């Protein structure tokens, strides 16, 4: 089957949904999502969305905090742009129906998180993401120009390569004509032709066996663009959130928001000793890379499986009122956070790098935009400041929409694209090949490419990943496609990019820490 549209939006998180709403009056939109419209990383966001709202906060302070967190690797021009444009896009979210908490005086109740020098995080209790996701989904469902296709999985982008032409990463003339999309209800791969394609597929957390990300976060967009010969960058900067609930075997790991530390909760060892003062003067509210590494170190020194986050000294009623979901979740595991410390461990949380884009979200492939977590805009550098990702997503959805609206009338759909060739493929005889390789891949990444890395660990990870890569490619060639197989293939691809980029960085910076190059500042081997 062939489908045609002006805008093909892949992904239904905050980035894809906001973009769809902004362009739908200018052309037909097809919005595809690989599970349901409601499932995304966005839905699980807790702390909130960072933007300057009231004095004494100001743009300069938010810019400075973002630059400091990034460990000197972000693009200052981009930081200034996002910080200044975020408040207007938050107003847009409010106009679309998103409710942020207000105090008794009718002013927005602002939270604080690691690395922020001011209270500037707008939130809805401790489930901000769900509030945003539901509001945007409601809006999208009611727009007549948006066709929603759930259970549709983007397999590959269509470029000149599919017309038999040579496509090279360095040429800069690659064009995207749409995507091959697997209908998960029929197992058919259909051809979606578009004037403009938008990748909004989110993060990569499932590369690791402990992650706060839901199952959908499998790096698909990054792998799609890499295979289509677009440029990917900064992949070595994986953000581990310092505090996910220690609950072995439970996936995804339940997040204990950093806003709780902003509210006064303190990190302690299992034996009840504070330790963050040894690592940073901002203590429990230092930027995430520092806190996650400190916890990792304390756990290795003590041999404990977790550390504690202690809220017992805080006002119990206010605690329950601000963090009702965390309170309930912990209580369901017999942890009363007003009386008991919460056991926490770091978990893979956010991909700072991704598809290289310009200030409008335009990728290095023509007719292709990437927005949200999947993109690398220059905002986060070597470490993202907490709650800056939701702001980045809405700012870039707006910028990409404004840019594309100017172009759309001059673009044609390419009708010469061949349909997907599934000749000679069959259903895999054994799913164990896929599930086992998925687990092995997660173990390789967790053991060798985690919070602390070394040359030896990275080499070992590469060698082991190569075996899984070869097996998976062979299986892919002869199989009728399934979501799990495609996701495994994509994750392996993304894992390679992370390892290769980590190997090329001969220094420790932000989220990338190597025992062999423990200092900041590039060290040349020669
Ligand atoms: P997502 O919201 O992840 O949406 C991606 C969409 O793409 C999904 O619909 C998915 O199904 C779809 N998709 C993926 N691959 C395919 C494919 N091959 N075909 C079709 N569809 C596909 N950030 C903050 O700023 N503040 C916070 O408080 C905060 N808290 C967080 C808490 C948690 C637990 C987590 C996991 C993240 C948090 N983050 C937070 C990060 C933030 O939520 C994400 O970075 C952001 O929501 C990403 O939005 P997105 O639209 O780019 O992607
Ligand atoms: C949190 O609430 O701690 C997560 C915030 C973020 O990832 O930006």
């Amino acid at each position: 089957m062939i489908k045609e549209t002006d805008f093909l939006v892949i992904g239904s998180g905050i980035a894809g949904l906001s973009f769809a709403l902004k362009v739908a009056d200018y052309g037909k939109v097809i919005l595809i999502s690989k599970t349901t419209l409601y499932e995304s990383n966005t839905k699980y966001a807790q702390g909130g969305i960072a933007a300057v709202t009231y004095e004494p906060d100001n743009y300069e302070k938010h810019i400075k905090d973002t630059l400091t967190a990034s460990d000197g690797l972000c693009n200052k021009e981009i930081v200034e742009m996002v910080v200044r444009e975020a408040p207007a896009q938050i107003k847009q979210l409010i106009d679309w129906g998103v409710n942020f908490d207000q105090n008794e005086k009718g002013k927005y109740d602002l939270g604080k998180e690691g690395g922020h020098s001011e209270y500037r995080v707008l939130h809805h209790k401790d489930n901000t993401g769900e509030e945003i996701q539901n509001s945007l989904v409601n809006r999208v469902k009611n727009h007549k120009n948006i066709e929603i296709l759930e259970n549709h999985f983007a397999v590959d982008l269509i470029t000149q390569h599919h017309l038999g032409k040579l496509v090279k990463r360095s040429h800069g003339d690659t064009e995207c004509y749409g995507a091959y999309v697997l209908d998960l209800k029929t197992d058919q791969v259909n051809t979606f032709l578009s004037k403009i394609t938008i990748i909004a597929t989110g993060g990569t957390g499932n590369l690791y066996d402990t992650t706060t990300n839901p199952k959908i976060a499998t790096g698909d967009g990054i792998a799609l663009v890499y295979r289509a010969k677009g440029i990917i960058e900064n992949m070595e900067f994986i953000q581990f959130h310092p505090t996910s609930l220690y609950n072995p075997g439970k996936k995804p790991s339940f997040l204990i928001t950093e806003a709780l530390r902003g509210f006064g909760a303190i990190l302690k060892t299992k034996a009840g000793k504070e330790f963050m003062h040894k690592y940073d003067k901002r203590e429990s509210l230092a930027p995430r890379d520092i806190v996650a590494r400190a916890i990792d170190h304390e756990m290795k020194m003590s041999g404990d499986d977790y550390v504690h986050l202690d809220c017992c000294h805080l006002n119990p009623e206010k605690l329950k009122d601000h963090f009702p979901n965390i309170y309930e979740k912990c209580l369901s595991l017999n942890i009363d956070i007003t009386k008991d410390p919460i056991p926490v461990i770091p978990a893979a949380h956010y991909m700072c790098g991704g598809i290289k884009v310009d200030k409008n979200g335009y990728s290095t492939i023509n007719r292709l935009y990437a927005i949200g977590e999947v993109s690398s805009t220059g905002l986060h550098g070597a470490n993202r400041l907490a709650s800056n990702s939701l702001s980045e997503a809405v700012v870039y959805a707006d910028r990409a929409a404004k840019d594309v609206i100017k172009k759309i009338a001059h673009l044609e759909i390419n009708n010469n694209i061949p349909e997907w060739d599934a000749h000679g493929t069959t259903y895999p005889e054994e799913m164990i090949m896929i599930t086992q390789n998925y687990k092995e891949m997660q173990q390789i990444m967790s053991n060798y490419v985690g919070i602390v890395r070394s040359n030896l660990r990275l080499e070992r990870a590469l060698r082991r990943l190569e075996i899984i890569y070869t097996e998976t490619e062979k299986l892919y060639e002869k199989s009728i496609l399934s979501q799990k197989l495609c996701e495994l293939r994509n994750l392996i691809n993304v894992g390679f990019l992370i390892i290769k980029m980590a190997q090329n960085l001969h220094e420790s910076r932000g989220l990338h820490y190597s025992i062999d190059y423990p200092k900041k500042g590039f060290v040349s081997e020669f």
Side-chain angles (χ1 to χ4, degrees), residues 77-94:
E77 193 194 331
I78 296 296
V79 175
E80 287 177 354
M81 182 189 93
V82 174
V83 165
R84 287 174 198 281
E85 292 180 16
Q89 294 316 313
I90 286 169
K91 170 146 191 333
Q92 169 76 88
L93 286 178
I94 294 167

Side-chain angles (χ1 to χ4, degrees), residues 46-47 113 241 255 257-258 288 349 384 386-387:
Q46 289 188 2
E113 294 177 45
H241 196 291
L255 185 76
T257 178
E258 206 158 282
R288 272 182 200 170
H349 182 64
R384 175 182 66 109
S387 287

Side-chain angles (χ1 to χ4, degrees), residues 22 33 46 74 83 136 143 147 167 197 207 210 328 344 364 370 373 393 429 448 464:
K22 295 226 167 193
S33 191
Q46 289 188 2
C74 58
V83 165
L136 297 187
H143 202 297
E147 181 180 350
V167 173
T197 303
L207 272 167
T210 306
E328 287 300 332
V344 291
T364 54
E373 185 167 341
E429 278 167 25
Y448 303 127
R464 279 157 177 70

Side-chain angles (χ1 to χ4, degrees), residues 9-18 31-50 113 121-123 128-129 132-133 149 151-156 181-182 184 199-203 211-221 224 239 241 252-258 288 348-351 371-375 380 384-393 483 486-487 490:
V9 181
I10 307 173
S12 64
I14 187 171
L17 294 168
S18 313
L31 175 66
I32 67 167
S33 191
K34 67 178 173 181
T35 59
T36 73
L37 210 48
Y38 288 94
E39 187 61 342
S40 66
N41 272 10
T42 301
K43 183 176 130 186
Y44 297 87
Q46 289 188 2
I49 181 163
E113 294 177 45
V121 183
L122 291 119
H123 60 95
T128 311
I132 294 176
Q133 186 78 25
L149 295 172
N151 302 305
H152 278 66
F153 184 99
V155 175
D156 262 326
V181 177
L182 173 64
L184 295 167
I199 304 265
T201 49
T211 178
T212 61
N213 292 190
K215 276 191 190 146
I216 55 99
T218 54
D220 299 340
L224 258 69
Q239 186 166 70
H241 196 291
S253 296
F254 182 78
L255 185 76
I256 305 293
T257 178
E258 206 158 282
R288 272 182 200 170
H349 182 64
Y350 186 84
M351 167 49 82
I371 51 177
E373 185 167 341
V374 76
S375 65
H380 309 307
R384 175 182 66 109
L385 182 67
S387 287
N388 263 358
S389 42
L390 294 174
S391 345
E392 179 191 48
Q483 179 175 348
C486 293
E487 288 179 340
N490 290 338

